[in-house]
Amino acid sequence: MLNAMSAPQGQGPTFRELVVQALSSVERGYDLLSPKFDHTAYRTSASVLDSVTGALRPLGPFGSGLDVCCGTGAGMGVLRQVCRERITGVDFSAGMLAVGRARARAVPDAPRTDWVRADARALPFGPVFDLAVSFGAFGHFLPRERPGLFAQVRSVLRPSGRFAFPIVAPARPGSRPYWSLLAFDTAMRVRNAVWRPSFVMYYRTFRLGDVRKELIGAGFEVELRALEDLGRRVDGSPRCRLVVATRPV
Ligand SMILES: C[S@@+](CC[C@H](N)C(=O)[O-])C[C@H]1O[C@@H](n2cnc3c(N)ncnc32)[C@H](O)[C@@H]1O
């Protein structure tokens, strides 16, 4: 996400546009960014999406799927490959949904597809999904909001339904990514202390240990799968894991 300016010239947002977006609310910021979002590094990369698809295949096929904070539909491409009946993207940015909807029209043979505008903290669905996924959005939720968010996702899953998302290993203390993420989060905290509306986007608050406890607290059974095709760190641990949280029967 930090290299959002690395898109080919003319396609990604300008520095000025990024500043205007960052001074808006999250919802408004994404509305403004939506036409150029797919040319930024904020969109989840194809390698992560492919790896998650590969890890989900043996658990499926699934009936209906939900992409939580779908944006322009990165995770909808995953659902399309592992769900047979129906897929739904939910996001609170009308602009992001409009781009996703327009792109999806060009996809042949997709299962029935819906794009729903709603806040993920108050999902407007009953327990109708067999699989929920989410990519690249957890930094928009404060730690205290996560138990409620996870409870919402659980409430829209059928018994045995799964909630799956990738989680990247934290940057090694002292490494370049470590300092970049620390600098980004610090800048956001300063920005949010002095400017309204706030823009919640923190990289360092989504930690596996806390998340696991919160998922269990929300009533999930949790397992972790290494996403081997995304590699391992020098200490041998996976760079990225898939969290698979199951709603018990
Ligand atoms: C970085 S984008 C990720 C989009 C997409 N999942 C991807 O991986 O490319 C984060 C998305 O989360 C959405 N979002 C953030 N907070 C939300 C909330 N409370 N309810 C619904 N959507 C939210 C934003 O509108 C935005 O589309």
Side-chain angles (χ1 to χ4, degrees), residues 18-224:
L18 281 177
V19 171
V20 173
Q21 286 142 20
L23 293 178
S24 313
S25 66
V26 175
E27 182 182 339
R28 177 78 186 128
Y30 278 105
D31 281 345
L32 293 169
L33 184 59
S34 57
K36 296 184 174 178
F37 179 80
D38 286 349
H39 302 294
T40 71
Y42 300 126
R43 187 183 209 271
T44 299
S45 68
S47 58
V48 172
L49 298 169
D50 289 348
S51 182
V52 170
T53 306
L56 286 175
R57 269 190 212 289
L59 304 177
F62 300 91
S64 50
L66 177 69
D67 183 6
V68 180
C69 302
C70 62
T72 56
M76 295 290 272
V78 173
L79 294 181
R80 227 173 260 132
Q81 297 178 69
V82 299
C83 296
R84 288 191 171 157
E85 287 163 19
R86 185 174 178 163
I87 62 174
T88 302
V90 65
D91 198 287
F92 67 8
S93 161
M96 297 290 272
L97 290 168
V99 173
R101 200 178 280 121
R103 293 221 197 302
R105 281 196 200 107
V107 181
D109 300 330
R112 179 179 161 177
T113 303
D114 296 301
W115 301 83
V116 176
R117 183 165 180 231
D119 193 315
R121 293 165 291 194
L123 290 171
F125 311 108
V128 295
F129 297 102
D130 303 293
L131 172 66
V133 294
S134 193
F135 294 90
F138 291 119
H140 293 305
F141 298 89
L142 294 170
R144 66 168 181 272
E145 296 177 306
R146 287 200 308 251
L149 173 70
F150 294 158
Q152 281 291 298
V153 176
R154 185 187 183 278
S155 75
V156 303
L157 289 172
R158 294 194 173 113
S160 313
R162 316 263 201 181
F163 178 31
F165 54 86
I167 187 163
V168 180
R172 197 167 37 79
S175 64
R176 213 168 140 174
Y178 174 89
W179 291 116
S180 304
L181 298 180
L182 181 62
F184 182 92
D185 280 12
T186 306
M188 287 311 271
R189 283 184 201 288
V190 172
R191 179 248 182 250
N192 286 330
V194 299
W195 192 264
R196 288 287 174 275
S198 59
F199 191 104
V200 172
M201 175 65 237
Y202 298 115
Y203 283 99
R204 300 174 72 249
T205 54
F206 199 70
R207 299 194 192 95
L208 181 55
D210 299 335
V211 167
R212 188 180 193 156
K213 275 188 220 138
E214 290 157 4
L215 286 165
I216 291 168
F220 284 105
E221 287 165 2
V222 181
E223 58 178 307
L224 302 173

